[in-house]
Amino acid sequence: MVAKARRHVARAGARAKPGFSIAVTGGPRNDMSRARVVIVDDHQLLAESVALALSALGVETAVFDLPRAASKLTSILALTPDLVLLDLDLGQGIAEGLALVAPLVDGGCRVLVVTAWMDPEAIGAALADGAVGVVDKSAPLEHLIAVATACAQGVYSVPRAEKRRIDDAARRQRTSRERELAPFAMLTLREAEVLRCLIRGENVAGIAGRAHVSEATVRSQVRGILTKLDVASQLSAVALARRVGWSAPSE
């Protein structure tokens, strides 16, 4: 069965598309029949397909029941997996999945991130927290199974060229986001609060009434916002704030 898995890895490596490369190290291989894999993914069809494919290779595999788990981390660790196939977006955004990587690694699990959110910073963070690799959900199923079996054997590592590509992309993304957020740093605390109100859909009259100031004062603050953000309208300011992921600082 191990030999079959190795042929599967080699075949996937030969057919891999750019961005889907894999690296198999020469370290000790674990017995596939003793490996235990837990799949944590809210995409039920994909999770079951992967589980069936891994089971056919002799890997003990379970699909984690997300809806019934009161504490995801505790419940996953209770299954004592050797490898966790983890989606970053478990229904509450990618932060939820990212927050599980380090604790799972600390709990003795290898973590392979399987996600459609190929955000360079998120991927880089997952790898920095100890994930052994990342597979794009758009990759062929054969590739995912090959990487998962290699991870279960303890012989997978992210190719150096791929790691450099991820680090470079994350660096460019951070630089771009910092440049886009720079104008928002010029807002006063009151202007930031007014912008936050505009994002919530409040109008000038409502903002003035809640803050116990005149509408003229709020309009002046809105003009300051538009000037500093270099936009022509309140709608444009709100759209820009949402696009760059800005949030008002706490007073």
Side-chain angles (χ1 to χ4, degrees), residues 83-132:
L83 173 67
V84 176
L85 303 189
L86 177 66
D87 186 6
L88 293 183
D89 186 357
L90 300 176
Q92 302 295 324
I94 63 174
E96 183 181 19
L98 274 175
L100 289 172
V101 176
L104 288 172
V105 172
D106 291 342
C109 308
R110 291 188 290 278
V111 176
L112 175 63
V113 172
V114 182
T115 183
W117 288 83
M118 296 303 287
D119 176 89
E121 281 193 276
I123 295 170
L127 294 174
D129 282 346
V132 294

Side-chain angles (χ1 to χ4, degrees), residues 36-138:
R36 177 177 295 175
V37 176
V38 172
I39 302 171
V40 183
D41 197 316
D42 63 345
H43 188 172
Q44 192 70 16
L45 180 60
L46 174 63
E48 291 176 356
S49 298
V50 173
L52 285 172
L54 289 174
S55 297
L57 292 174
V59 182
E60 182 183 344
T61 309
V63 176
F64 184 67
D65 192 348
L66 280 169
R68 296 186 180 181
S71 170
K72 293 182 178 64
L73 177 61
T74 302
S75 300
I76 295 169
L77 291 175
L79 298 173
T80 62
D82 299 295
L83 173 67
V84 176
L85 303 189
L86 177 66
D87 186 6
L88 293 183
D89 186 357
L90 300 176
Q92 302 295 324
I94 63 174
E96 183 181 19
L98 274 175
L100 289 172
V101 176
L104 288 172
V105 172
D106 291 342
C109 308
R110 291 188 290 278
V111 176
L112 175 63
V113 172
V114 182
T115 183
W117 288 83
M118 296 303 287
D119 176 89
E121 281 193 276
I123 295 170
L127 294 174
D129 282 346
V132 294
V134 178
V135 176
D136 190 338
K137 281 187 175 180
S138 67

Side-chain angles (χ1 to χ4, degrees), residues 186-237:
M186 296 189 294
L187 300 178
T188 65
L189 284 176
R190 184 56 196 158
E191 287 170 342
E193 176 59 26
V194 169
L195 179 54
R196 178 161 52 187
C197 292
L198 294 175
I199 292 172
R200 288 200 298 257
E202 297 183 40
N203 59 25
V204 168
I207 296 171
R210 190 162 60 82
H212 306 292
V213 298
S214 70
E215 291 186 27
T217 296
V218 176
R219 289 195 184 94
S220 175
Q221 292 163 340
V222 169
R223 284 194 297 272
I225 294 169
L226 302 186
T227 299
K228 292 174 181 178
L229 300 187
D230 193 25
V231 294
S233 68
Q234 295 178 30
L235 287 176
S236 296

